[in-house]
Amino acid sequence: MDLDFSVALTYLPVMLKATLLTITLALVTQTLGTSIGFVFALGRTSRSRILRFVVWAYVWLFRGTPVLLHLFFVYYAAPLFGVTLDAIPAAIIAMTLSSAAYNTEILRAGIQAVHPGQVEAAEAVGMRYSRIVRHVIAPQAVRIVIPPYMSNFISHTKNTSLASVITVPELMLTSQMVYSSTYRAIEILTVAGLIYLLLTSCLTGLQLWLERRTSYEARGMSRRRRAIFLGKAPASAPREA
Amino acid sequence: MTEAKTPMIDARDVRKTFGDFQALKGVSLAVDQGEVVCLIGPSGSGKSTLLRCINHLEVPDSGNIEVDGQPVGYTTTDGRSRRKSSREIAQMRSQIGMVFQMFNLWPHISAIENVALGLTKVKGMPVEQAAEIARTQMDRVGLAQKCDAFPEHLSGGQRQRVAIARALAMEPKVMLFDEPTSALDPELVGEVLNVMESVAADGMTMIVATHEMGFARKVADKVVFMDDGNDVETGAPDKAFDAPESERLRRFLNRVLA
Ligand SMILES: Nc1ncnc2c1ncn2[C@@H]1O[C@H](COP(=O)(O)OP(=O)(O)OP(=O)(O)O)[C@@H](O)[C@H]1O
Ligand SMILES: [Mg+2]
């Protein structure tokens, strides 16, 4: 078997352009899915039974059906509602829907892992719920949530390849088009694989960084906070365990 | 000239059920300004539930609770009473300090930031001013050296003292303590009780649910014995401990003082 990676080199610019679309698709849908998931997670942990049920039902539906189906469904069903969607907006909608479902569950787990006594203590001091979420729940939940959240982000990034089925010219579809005209499938797929690996490695790195940044016991108070709270000059602040 | 003094805390006929279990069956309690009341009674008698009703962490089914003349949970405008909004409830809670059995410190910030958080986020104080007050309060509970420690690096007694400082920093009108020493190793109980005694000596109005009979006898102005969701007997500590009227209190004291 002879391999010829010069083909891959020739088509690299095309593939990198497609990678840009893959990155955009992943980032946009993950961001939207996280925002919606955050609101849903609050709904899922609220006192309202109806709200809890609605969110539960949403997660049940969109986590229980394949993303591939969502993609086809949004793409082909949109005209029934009087709109025609281009492939890219359809993919953004479909992938946001499923990202929201997964992130709801991940963020809910983080919120619920914060001991209720701590929320009560904040209530007893007179903090309102929005402040409690911001200053008591979120900082602790974030840390708990990072590993599952980033795992999901990684698989979500790879899942953008599914958008190829509705003709979104992201990395996977572009690779297919390149090798079907050059007959260099192995070479092109190898390059595509390496690009995906590079993307997900960046996310793995981000995860490590976030985990280190949010480990409050290990880091102690920041210099800025020391200066404010201990009334010491930041430079002379001693570091304790 | 003496006006009829309204109590600082006035709870009347408070009832609370969980499912079909009656945790409070009509409890009344009046605490004057500067008074220290100890709630004693067996486990499950409703001490925590009563304290939690006073700052509205539990919503009573019926009855009336007022703190400093203000009804808790309800407000009356133009003769019509309505439920307080969450903002109003939060505002009211900021004037009622609470100390929990399990400390409930926030683990992601240092001790002094635990004390300061309510000042900045509830009172809207600038952070430097809040830090100043928090340092004073940490000093007051004897932990000036532990300001930068995170809760997990503190002993149980130290954590509870931080929790007391956190409540005191808000300058509450009253302080509620829910078995503040029950989760502590015996050798750490004393340091927390000492702080509480000094808070009482400074004139704070306090309700303390406790199993520390020595503390109740020494510090309380009034002891309330609760059993099975009722306030069975109320009296001065000497009388409650040495000459209890009710059979149930006598049996309880025999059991705990044995
Ligand atoms: N949220 C709740 N749901 C159901 N039952 C509850 C709840 N809170 C308290 N109870 C019940 O109400 C009763 C009174 O509880 P409470 O905690 O007020 O007692 P206590 O006097 O503080 O006891 P302890 O000394 O054990 O703290 C108990 O039987 C308890 O099981
Ligand atoms: Mg209790």
Side-chain angles (χ1 to χ4, degrees), chain A residues 120 131 135 217 225 229, chain B residues 52 113 121 135 152:
Chain A
E120 279 190 346
R131 291 280 164 90
H135 298 287
E217 311 91 330
R225 282 153 65 201
F229 283 100
Chain B
R52 293 165 60 82
E113 289 167 291
K121 302 310 169 195
R135 276 196 295 272
E152 71 163 342

Side-chain angles (χ1 to χ4, degrees), chain B residues 47-48 101 178-179:
Chain B
K47 304 182 293 293
S48 300
Q101 183 173 354
D178 189 3
E179 298 197 32

